[in-house]
Amino acid sequence: MPAIHIENLSFRYPDAASPALSEVNLSIQPGEFVVITGATGAGKSTLLRCINGVIPHFQPGSQQGHVWIEPEGQGRLAVARIAPPHLARLIGSVFDDPEGQIVSPIVEEEIAFALENTGVAPAKMEARIVSALAACGIADLRHRPTNGLSGGQKQRVAIAAALALAPSILVLDEPTSELDPDGTEAVLNVLTELNRQQGITVIIAEQKVSHLAPLCDRLILLDRGRVALEGPPRQALLQGSVFEKLGIEIPAPVRLAQALVREGLIPTFGSPGAPSLPLTVDEAFQLTRQLLEPERPEL
Ligand SMILES: Nc1ncnc2c1ncn2[C@@H]1O[C@H](COP(=O)(O)OP(=O)(O)OP(=O)(O)O)[C@@H](O)[C@H]1O
């Protein structure tokens, strides 16, 4: 049973000349880590809004098709028919701007605020706050003022606030776009842990895929509101030219590997005897070393 099932979904904003999404069909499995990518205006944020219920509950427009979620033990529920406070407990949402989504002066109050807003009983709050902060690696920030935090810390507070509601699905819209490399790494580590340790389904919309390709189970490439390509990252990025044509930069290790194929130094990826496509610098290093020193055992 998929965690999310999207069937023939189309959406047009009021007065828009063309639809933001057209006939999207997708199933996302429980515990999957999915990255939705595409150029500016491709429809990434709109798709996330259809999943977390901002569309149709808060954003008007014309929608066709269906978005269902299937929380464990609750059967298949149409997002359009779930009341927003209940939806917020099923699907946590985090946006690109940590400043814009934090409203409380102190970290623990920010998390308590999310719990109060969705009617969590006061007796359950302490345990939820402690475990959400711990899961995001920010237990030490509990009593800190939110306005003194770095971007990466703020973003982890925002994730903790969403997580305290115990959702089975987290959707994040460009969660690292405002962060420096350290903040990006800290946030991606937290998301990877939540996905692997707690089985939370993670869906990230992001234009830049280099950091995420090695972490995710599936890349979904949107082009003008349609799914242009989808698959496990090593498989999807074999069609690197499709990404580049749509303005999405492919990871440097993939570019290096493509150059090795072009020079005839290694077989075409996907053909018999070919190595697997490297997604990280370490994997590209191993591939290059095997070429230079074929007799030497792998590290
Ligand atoms: N609130 C809105 N009202 C009208 N049109 C909108 C609105 N939000 C987005 N659009 C339009 O819908 C289309 C898809 O936008 P969307 O924000 O989903 O794309 P995106 O892939 O997330 O882009 P970006 O990477 O720039 O965030 C674009 O043509 C955009 O201009």
PDB file of all heavy atoms in Angstrom, residues 125-144:
ATOM      1  N   MET A 125       2.987  16.430  25.908  1.00  0.00           N
ATOM      2  CA  MET A 125       3.876  17.404  25.245  1.00  0.00           C
ATOM      3  C   MET A 125       5.346  17.215  25.579  1.00  0.00           C
ATOM      4  O   MET A 125       6.192  17.242  24.698  1.00  0.00           O
ATOM      5  CB  MET A 125       3.453  18.825  25.602  1.00  0.00           C
ATOM      6  CG  MET A 125       2.258  19.266  24.803  1.00  0.00           C
ATOM      7  SD  MET A 125       2.111  21.029  24.976  1.00  0.00           S
ATOM      8  CE  MET A 125       0.540  21.284  24.201  1.00  0.00           C
ATOM      9  N   GLU A 126       5.648  17.029  26.876  1.00  0.00           N
ATOM     10  CA  GLU A 126       7.056  16.966  27.287  1.00  0.00           C
ATOM     11  C   GLU A 126       7.799  15.867  26.523  1.00  0.00           C
ATOM     12  O   GLU A 126       8.867  16.105  25.953  1.00  0.00           O
ATOM     13  CB  GLU A 126       7.135  16.748  28.808  1.00  0.00           C
ATOM     14  CG  GLU A 126       8.532  16.517  29.350  1.00  0.00           C
ATOM     15  CD  GLU A 126       9.491  17.714  29.142  1.00  0.00           C
ATOM     16  OE1 GLU A 126       9.007  18.833  28.869  1.00  0.00           O
ATOM     17  OE2 GLU A 126      10.721  17.498  29.220  1.00  0.00           O
ATOM     18  N   ALA A 127       7.199  14.680  26.472  1.00  0.00           N
ATOM     19  CA  ALA A 127       7.873  13.560  25.798  1.00  0.00           C
ATOM     20  C   ALA A 127       8.054  13.872  24.314  1.00  0.00           C
ATOM     21  O   ALA A 127       9.101  13.573  23.722  1.00  0.00           O
ATOM     22  CB  ALA A 127       7.062  12.284  25.979  1.00  0.00           C
ATOM     23  N   ARG A 128       7.046  14.485  23.713  1.00  0.00           N
ATOM     24  CA  ARG A 128       7.135  14.805  22.276  1.00  0.00           C
ATOM     25  C   ARG A 128       8.249  15.825  22.013  1.00  0.00           C
ATOM     26  O   ARG A 128       8.987  15.725  21.046  1.00  0.00           O
ATOM     27  CB  ARG A 128       5.802  15.401  21.784  1.00  0.00           C
ATOM     28  CG  ARG A 128       4.640  14.449  21.863  1.00  0.00           C
ATOM     29  CD  ARG A 128       4.534  13.653  20.577  1.00  0.00           C
ATOM     30  NE  ARG A 128       3.262  12.987  20.513  1.00  0.00           N
ATOM     31  CZ  ARG A 128       2.293  13.312  19.663  1.00  0.00           C
ATOM     32  NH1 ARG A 128       2.455  14.287  18.804  1.00  0.00           N
ATOM     33  NH2 ARG A 128       1.156  12.661  19.662  1.00  0.00           N
ATOM     34  N   ILE A 129       8.329  16.845  22.898  1.00  0.00           N
ATOM     35  CA  ILE A 129       9.351  17.896  22.719  1.00  0.00           C
ATOM     36  C   ILE A 129      10.739  17.281  22.850  1.00  0.00           C
ATOM     37  O   ILE A 129      11.611  17.490  21.992  1.00  0.00           O
ATOM     38  CB  ILE A 129       9.164  19.044  23.751  1.00  0.00           C
ATOM     39  CG1 ILE A 129       7.871  19.806  23.462  1.00  0.00           C
ATOM     40  CG2 ILE A 129      10.366  19.987  23.743  1.00  0.00           C
ATOM     41  CD1 ILE A 129       7.468  20.815  24.523  1.00  0.00           C
ATOM     42  N   VAL A 130      10.937  16.470  23.885  1.00  0.00           N
ATOM     43  CA  VAL A 130      12.252  15.858  24.127  1.00  0.00           C
ATOM     44  C   VAL A 130      12.645  14.992  22.939  1.00  0.00           C
ATOM     45  O   VAL A 130      13.763  15.083  22.414  1.00  0.00           O
ATOM     46  CB  VAL A 130      12.234  15.031  25.440  1.00  0.00           C
ATOM     47  CG1 VAL A 130      13.467  14.163  25.556  1.00  0.00           C
ATOM     48  CG2 VAL A 130      12.108  15.966  26.637  1.00  0.00           C
ATOM     49  N   SER A 131      11.709  14.153  22.453  1.00  0.00           N
ATOM     50  CA  SER A 131      12.122  13.223  21.398  1.00  0.00           C
ATOM     51  C   SER A 131      12.310  13.942  20.063  1.00  0.00           C
ATOM     52  O   SER A 131      13.199  13.589  19.287  1.00  0.00           O
ATOM     53  CB  SER A 131      11.195  12.014  21.309  1.00  0.00           C
ATOM     54  OG  SER A 131      10.090  12.310  20.530  1.00  0.00           O
ATOM     55  N   ALA A 132      11.516  14.981  19.780  1.00  0.00           N
ATOM     56  CA  ALA A 132      11.687  15.709  18.505  1.00  0.00           C
ATOM     57  C   ALA A 132      13.031  16.445  18.498  1.00  0.00           C
ATOM     58  O   ALA A 132      13.750  16.440  17.494  1.00  0.00           O
ATOM     59  CB  ALA A 132      10.538  16.689  18.285  1.00  0.00           C
ATOM     60  N   LEU A 133      13.381  17.065  19.634  1.00  0.00           N
ATOM     61  CA  LEU A 133      14.671  17.777  19.697  1.00  0.00           C
ATOM     62  C   LEU A 133      15.829  16.796  19.556  1.00  0.00           C
ATOM     63  O   LEU A 133      16.793  17.052  18.827  1.00  0.00           O
ATOM     64  CB  LEU A 133      14.792  18.540  21.020  1.00  0.00           C
ATOM     65  CG  LEU A 133      13.887  19.764  21.175  1.00  0.00           C
ATOM     66  CD1 LEU A 133      13.953  20.297  22.603  1.00  0.00           C
ATOM     67  CD2 LEU A 133      14.275  20.873  20.196  1.00  0.00           C
ATOM     68  N   ALA A 134      15.708  15.644  20.230  1.00  0.00           N
ATOM     69  CA  ALA A 134      16.788  14.647  20.166  1.00  0.00           C
ATOM     70  C   ALA A 134      16.935  14.125  18.738  1.00  0.00           C
ATOM     71  O   ALA A 134      18.057  14.005  18.229  1.00  0.00           O
ATOM     72  CB  ALA A 134      16.502  13.506  21.131  1.00  0.00           C
ATOM     73  N   ALA A 135      15.810  13.840  18.081  1.00  0.00           N
ATOM     74  CA  ALA A 135      15.870  13.267  16.726  1.00  0.00           C
ATOM     75  C   ALA A 135      16.528  14.246  15.752  1.00  0.00           C
ATOM     76  O   ALA A 135      17.111  13.839  14.753  1.00  0.00           O
ATOM     77  CB  ALA A 135      14.468  12.907  16.250  1.00  0.00           C
ATOM     78  N   CYS A 136      16.420  15.540  16.042  1.00  0.00           N
ATOM     79  CA  CYS A 136      17.007  16.540  15.144  1.00  0.00           C
ATOM     80  C   CYS A 136      18.388  16.991  15.629  1.00  0.00           C
ATOM     81  O   CYS A 136      18.961  17.937  15.074  1.00  0.00           O
ATOM     82  CB  CYS A 136      16.060  17.736  15.012  1.00  0.00           C
ATOM     83  SG  CYS A 136      14.543  17.271  14.167  1.00  0.00           S
ATOM     84  N   GLY A 137      18.886  16.332  16.677  1.00  0.00           N
ATOM     85  CA  GLY A 137      20.240  16.623  17.165  1.00  0.00           C
ATOM     86  C   GLY A 137      20.365  18.019  17.761  1.00  0.00           C
ATOM     87  O   GLY A 137      21.435  18.624  17.723  1.00  0.00           O
ATOM     88  N   ILE A 138      19.269  18.531  18.351  1.00  0.00           N
ATOM     89  CA  ILE A 138      19.311  19.905  18.884  1.00  0.00           C
ATOM     90  C   ILE A 138      18.786  19.976  20.317  1.00  0.00           C
ATOM     91  O   ILE A 138      18.235  21.005  20.727  1.00  0.00           O
ATOM     92  CB  ILE A 138      18.530  20.901  17.976  1.00  0.00           C
ATOM     93  CG1 ILE A 138      17.131  20.363  17.656  1.00  0.00           C
ATOM     94  CG2 ILE A 138      19.306  21.221  16.708  1.00  0.00           C
ATOM     95  CD1 ILE A 138      16.215  21.393  17.009  1.00  0.00           C
ATOM     96  N   ALA A 139      18.965  18.868  21.067  1.00  0.00           N
ATOM     97  CA  ALA A 139      18.492  18.872  22.461  1.00  0.00           C
ATOM     98  C   ALA A 139      19.109  20.034  23.234  1.00  0.00           C
ATOM     99  O   ALA A 139      18.467  20.647  24.088  1.00  0.00           O
ATOM    100  CB  ALA A 139      18.847  17.546  23.121  1.00  0.00           C
ATOM    101  N   ASP A 140      20.354  20.393  22.895  1.00  0.00           N
ATOM    102  CA  ASP A 140      21.052  21.466  23.625  1.00  0.00           C
ATOM    103  C   ASP A 140      20.481  22.853  23.302  1.00  0.00           C
ATOM    104  O   ASP A 140      20.780  23.826  23.982  1.00  0.00           O
ATOM    105  CB  ASP A 140      22.552  21.442  23.275  1.00  0.00           C
ATOM    106  CG  ASP A 140      22.791  21.524  21.778  1.00  0.00           C
ATOM    107  OD1 ASP A 140      21.991  20.942  21.007  1.00  0.00           O
ATOM    108  OD2 ASP A 140      23.759  22.184  21.372  1.00  0.00           O
ATOM    109  N   LEU A 141      19.651  22.956  22.288  1.00  0.00           N
ATOM    110  CA  LEU A 141      19.108  24.278  21.925  1.00  0.00           C
ATOM    111  C   LEU A 141      17.761  24.560  22.590  1.00  0.00           C
ATOM    112  O   LEU A 141      17.183  25.622  22.391  1.00  0.00           O
ATOM    113  CB  LEU A 141      18.916  24.381  20.395  1.00  0.00           C
ATOM    114  CG  LEU A 141      20.149  24.178  19.512  1.00  0.00           C
ATOM    115  CD1 LEU A 141      19.780  24.397  18.052  1.00  0.00           C
ATOM    116  CD2 LEU A 141      21.263  25.137  19.928  1.00  0.00           C
ATOM    117  N   ARG A 142      17.268  23.623  23.381  1.00  0.00           N
ATOM    118  CA  ARG A 142      15.889  23.693  23.883  1.00  0.00           C
ATOM    119  C   ARG A 142      15.506  25.054  24.480  1.00  0.00           C
ATOM    120  O   ARG A 142      14.429  25.572  24.227  1.00  0.00           O
ATOM    121  CB  ARG A 142      15.682  22.589  24.919  1.00  0.00           C
ATOM    122  CG  ARG A 142      14.316  22.621  25.531  1.00  0.00           C
ATOM    123  CD  ARG A 142      14.014  21.405  26.369  1.00  0.00           C
ATOM    124  NE  ARG A 142      12.671  21.557  26.926  1.00  0.00           N
ATOM    125  CZ  ARG A 142      11.965  20.582  27.422  1.00  0.00           C
ATOM    126  NH1 ARG A 142      12.444  19.377  27.460  1.00  0.00           N
ATOM    127  NH2 ARG A 142      10.759  20.809  27.905  1.00  0.00           N
ATOM    128  N   HIS A 143      16.398  25.630  25.276  1.00  0.00           N
ATOM    129  CA  HIS A 143      16.022  26.877  25.964  1.00  0.00           C
ATOM    130  C   HIS A 143      16.605  28.113  25.288  1.00  0.00           C
ATOM    131  O   HIS A 143      16.558  29.212  25.846  1.00  0.00           O
ATOM    132  CB  HIS A 143      16.454  26.796  27.443  1.00  0.00           C
ATOM    133  CG  HIS A 143      15.849  25.605  28.139  1.00  0.00           C
ATOM    134  ND1 HIS A 143      14.504  25.525  28.423  1.00  0.00           N
ATOM    135  CD2 HIS A 143      16.397  24.430  28.541  1.00  0.00           C
ATOM    136  CE1 HIS A 143      14.248  24.355  28.989  1.00  0.00           C
ATOM    137  NE2 HIS A 143      15.381  23.670  29.067  1.00  0.00           N
ATOM    138  N   ARG A 144      17.145  27.940  24.110  1.00  0.00           N
ATOM    139  CA  ARG A 144      17.803  29.058  23.411  1.00  0.00           C
ATOM    140  C   ARG A 144      16.785  29.943  22.694  1.00  0.00           C
ATOM    141  O   ARG A 144      15.769  29.455  22.171  1.00  0.00           O
ATOM    142  CB  ARG A 144      18.788  28.511  22.362  1.00  0.00           C
ATOM    143  CG  ARG A 144      20.012  27.833  22.982  1.00  0.00           C
ATOM    144  CD  ARG A 144      21.185  28.788  23.155  1.00  0.00           C
ATOM    145  NE  ARG A 144      21.635  29.284  21.869  1.00  0.00           N
ATOM    146  CZ  ARG A 144      22.549  28.692  21.113  1.00  0.00           C
ATOM    147  NH1 ARG A 144      23.110  27.560  21.509  1.00  0.00           N
ATOM    148  NH2 ARG A 144      22.917  29.220  19.962  1.00  0.00           N
TER     149      ARG A 144
END
